[in-house]
């Protein structure tokens, strides 16, 4: 416990020091206090404060990440619209998977759920020790996940938290109950500062109607809707829908250009899994308010969060609400 507390303190200190060096504005909403290692309770509601993930007042439930299938037959998704953060990742064969990070809202069920990847460990370490729900992994990766600083809760390890939904073909029919996963990980960390900043849109930016990120076998388009005041998502040219009835999307879309090198692992067909390098630095585009802003991202260590700065060195503020992080190949 002492070691874990030290890691989290170091993470907050590192991010705080970097931001203090960059920020000269009081208009930005910075991270909420951490409730790390506080056990979840069925009887008492989670504390409420400003979420460091969305910039909005919310319950600070323990952090849960869920890996989502994004094959055509897996759509529409359930509960993805309730996530605080949505990550878009490239996987084998140039296809994409999604990951939803939850704290503010815990839907009764989410899915379809699919397998985890090695680089998810690096990505999720910025959340301290969150819980991770996924369908499973290749046997070679099981030990890596088991030894990682995550509460890894796969379908095989925690079958009672998962169920198969009728009317969908396997393997696109596996769903998970978030509260059941968190009950199995009562020490999962609550939200802490991961580097996001929220506030009014800055001056500048270039008017943008739509932006597309393509992988070899998948495309992801975000089109600005003035009426809804958010970017509406489409996958492979088709509007991305939720089973709740609405189109998926968010007020802030971050396109982060990263290295995606081959990992040590392959899928069942022998295709090499990409390793998404989220520690480092590079370019990013932040889409908000119908504009795109050229920014720089930097993450100095896996235990730290990611800062996004404008060319003048000031933090790039996000619009309050759900944030989408879309990984694109560096160019």
């Amino acid at each position: 416990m002492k070691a874990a507390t030290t890691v989290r303190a170091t993470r907050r200190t590192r991010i705080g020091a970097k931001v203090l060096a960059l920020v000269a504005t009081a208009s930005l909403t910075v991270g909420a206090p951490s409730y790390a290692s506080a056990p979840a309770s069925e009887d008492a509601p989670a504390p409420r404060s400003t979420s460091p993930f969305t910039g909005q007042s919310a319950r600070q439930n323990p952090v849960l990440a869920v890996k989502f299938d994004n094959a055509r037959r897996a759509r529409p998704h359930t509960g993805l619209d309730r996530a605080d953060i949505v990550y878009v990742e490239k996987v084998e064969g140039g296809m994409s998977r999604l990951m939803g990070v939850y704290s503010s809202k815990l839907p009764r069920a989410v899915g379809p759920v699919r397998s985890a990847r090695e680089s998810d460990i690096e990505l999720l370490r910025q959340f301290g020790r969150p819980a991770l729900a996924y369908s499973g992994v290749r046997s070679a990766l099981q030990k890596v996940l088991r030894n990682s600083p995550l509460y890894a809760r796969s379908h095989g390890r925690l079958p009672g938290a998962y169920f198969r939904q009728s009317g969908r073909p396997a393997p696109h029919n596996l769903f998970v109950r978030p509260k059941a996963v968190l009950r199995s990980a009562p020490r999962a960390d609550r939200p802490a500062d991961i580097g996001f900043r929220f506030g009014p849109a800055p001056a500048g930016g270039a008017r943008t109607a739509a932006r597309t990120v393509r992988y070899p076998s998948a495309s992801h388009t975000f089109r600005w809707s003035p009426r809804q005041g958010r970017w509406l998502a489409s996958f492979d040219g088709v509007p991305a829908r939720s089973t709740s009835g609405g189109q998926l999307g968010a007020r802030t879309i971050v396109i982060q250009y990263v290295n995606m090198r081959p990992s040590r692992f392959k899928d069942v067909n022998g295709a090499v899994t990409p390793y998404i390098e989220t520690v480092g630095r590079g370019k990013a585009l932040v889409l908000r308010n119908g504009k795109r802003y050229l920014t720089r991202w930097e993450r100095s260590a896996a235990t730290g969060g990611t800062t996004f700065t404008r060319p003048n060195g000031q933090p790039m503020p996000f619009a309050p609400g759900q944030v989408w992080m879309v990984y694109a190949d560096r160019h």
Side-chain angles (χ1 to χ4, degrees):
M1 177 64 72
K2 181 177 181 181
T5 304
T6 301
V7 169
R8 288 188 293 275
T10 301
R11 183 174 77 254
R12 291 191 297 272
T13 300
R14 184 185 299 112
I15 297 172
K18 184 177 294 182
V19 173
L20 285 174
L22 294 169
V23 179
T25 174
S27 64
L28 300 184
T29 301
V30 297
S34 170
Y35 298 95
S37 295
S41 171
E42 289 275 344
D43 301 320
R48 193 177 189 94
S49 67
T50 301
S51 168
F53 304 160
T54 67
Q56 297 177 323
S57 177
R59 296 290 182 192
Q60 304 298 293
N61 294 294
V63 179
L64 168 66
V66 180
K67 290 303 299 282
F68 279 80
D69 194 347
N70 197 32
R72 287 174 172 82
R73 300 182 75 183
R75 305 166 190 159
H77 297 94
T78 295
L80 191 62
D81 56 332
R82 309 287 282 177
D84 292 331
I85 309 170
V86 176
Y87 289 92
V88 180
E89 306 173 325
K90 184 170 73 172
V91 294
E92 305 82 18
M95 299 183 69
S96 68
R97 292 277 171 85
L98 309 172
M99 180 162 62
V101 174
Y102 296 84
S103 171
S104 301
K105 302 167 186 174
L106 298 176
R108 294 181 62 183
V110 302
V113 180
R114 286 303 291 269
S115 55
R117 296 295 184 271
E118 181 188 12
S119 55
D120 293 331
I121 299 171
E122 177 180 288
L123 170 61
L124 290 173
R125 288 191 67 191
Q126 65 189 310
F127 296 98
R129 192 176 184 188
L132 172 63
Y134 59 104
S135 62
V137 293
R138 295 297 306 279
S139 57
L141 185 53
Q142 287 180 1
K143 184 177 180 181
V144 177
L145 268 170
R146 187 167 58 248
N147 294 334
S148 73
L150 307 174
Y151 289 102
R153 299 294 188 261
S154 68
H155 174 224
R157 179 174 179 179
L158 194 67
Y162 295 80
F163 64 95
R164 297 283 179 182
Q165 187 178 87
S166 61
R168 287 180 181 251
H172 314 296
N173 61 350
L174 184 65
F175 287 73
V176 68
R177 299 178 180 90
K179 290 183 179 180
V181 175
L182 289 176
R183 280 196 296 270
S184 78
R187 292 286 174 179
D189 284 348
R190 295 182 191 267
D193 184 4
I194 60 168
F196 291 1
R197 297 296 175 260
F198 298 89
R207 292 287 179 188
T208 301
R211 194 79 180 188
T212 298
V213 174
R214 290 184 173 87
Y215 301 157
S217 302
S219 68
H220 318 82
T221 298
F222 303 93
R223 189 173 302 278
W224 176 248
S225 170
R227 183 177 65 83
Q228 296 191 30
R230 65 191 186 109
W231 302 88
L232 301 180
S234 294
F235 298 141
D236 305 317
V238 179
R241 298 286 181 184
S242 170
T243 53
S244 63
Q247 187 170 352
L248 297 173
R251 296 178 65 195
T252 304
I253 309 293
V254 181
I255 301 173
Q256 186 175 340
Y257 295 96
V258 298
N259 290 328
M260 299 194 205
R261 59 174 171 81
S263 75
R264 299 174 290 164
F265 302 97
K266 300 179 180 180
D267 69 4
V268 294
N269 298 315
V272 176
T273 300
Y275 188 101
I276 302 172
E277 296 183 355
T278 56
V279 173
R281 65 185 66 182
K283 295 180 180 179
L285 284 179
V286 175
L287 308 180
R288 64 164 297 181
N289 294 75
K291 294 182 177 182
R292 68 181 186 274
Y293 294 85
L294 180 64
T295 66
R296 298 284 301 179
W297 69 269
E298 183 172 354
R299 185 180 178 203
S300 58
T303 52
T306 307
T307 58
F308 295 88
T309 55
R310 294 151 57 202
N312 63 4
Q314 295 296 308
M316 177 63 212
F318 298 169
Q322 186 184 70
V323 175
W324 281 53
M325 304 291 299
V326 185
Y327 293 120
D329 285 287
R330 191 188 297 273
H331 60 267

